Amino acid sequence: MSEDKYEKILAPIDGSDISTIVAEKAASVADRNHSHLDLLYVIDTNSLSGVAGMSITGDVVYHLVQDSQEKLENYRDHVLTIFPNVDVDIHMRFGSPKKVIAAEFPNDHDIDLTVIGKSGLSRLERLIVGSVASFVVQNSKTDVLIVQD
């Protein structure tokens, strides 16, 4: 990254209410900096263990992937209507959202800015599993821009 310009921007989205704002703000930064934007949806492998230890079928995983892909395409199309000149790609990963967003994806794609929503979880969920945004701020090697809801 040059001192005054971000070249590769990551915007993780999860379908929560704040995801649209995150995608728009990240696209705005990408547009101003003439940067590349990666929209990322992480399918949490911890949630794939099922309820009460039951295994998840291939059909369920297929539908999760299809749903995630559709969401990503909708976010991409949305930001391109506002910022038609932004270079944007969509990605889907399986894993721990915290680890994928904070380290794995940024390392694999040379990300220099992560734009993330304050929280897509309810207060109870944050208490139990912790905030992904908090983990990213503490562990990411990139600059992090927190989008308020």
Side-chain angles (χ1 to χ4, degrees):
M1 176 185 90
S2 67
E3 287 186 32
D4 59 350
K5 180 182 171 194
Y6 292 107
E7 296 174 2
K8 294 185 179 181
I9 300 169
L10 169 61
I13 54 175
D14 62 4
S16 63
D17 293 341
I18 200 168
S19 289
T20 299
I21 301 166
V22 168
E24 289 173 356
K25 292 220 181 198
S28 176
V29 174
D31 188 57
R32 284 193 310 270
N33 285 271
H34 306 287
S35 305
H36 178 78
L37 173 61
D38 288 306
L39 298 176
L40 172 67
Y41 193 99
V42 181
I43 297 175
D44 188 353
T45 52
N46 293 328
S47 68
L48 295 181
S49 62
V51 178
M54 296 171 49
S55 64
I56 299 296
T57 66
D59 190 48
V60 170
V61 173
Y62 173 79
H63 287 293
L64 278 170
V65 169
Q66 291 299 99
D67 182 56
S68 302
Q69 183 70 27
E70 184 178 320
K71 286 178 185 175
L72 280 167
E73 290 170 357
N74 288 339
Y75 285 111
R76 179 196 57 210
D77 294 347
H78 175 72
V79 298
L80 286 174
T81 60
I82 302 169
F83 303 99
N85 297 320
V86 169
D87 177 26
V88 59
D89 286 328
I90 57 175
H91 306 270
M92 188 182 326
R93 290 268 181 108
F94 286 87
S96 161
K98 291 177 179 180
K99 292 177 183 175
V100 171
I101 295 166
E104 294 170 11
F105 191 91
N107 291 339
D108 292 346
H109 293 267
D110 298 318
I111 300 297
D112 45 30
L113 174 66
T114 300
V115 179
I116 190 167
K118 180 178 175 184
S119 179
L121 301 174
S122 70
R123 286 184 181 152
L124 178 60
E125 290 170 320
R126 279 194 308 273
L127 180 65
I128 294 169
V129 301
S131 166
V132 172
S134 294
F135 185 88
V136 171
V137 167
Q138 294 297 319
N139 295 281
S140 181
K141 302 281 191 257
T142 72
D143 288 351
V144 179
L145 173 63
I146 301 291
V147 176
Q148 301 293 326
D149 46 359

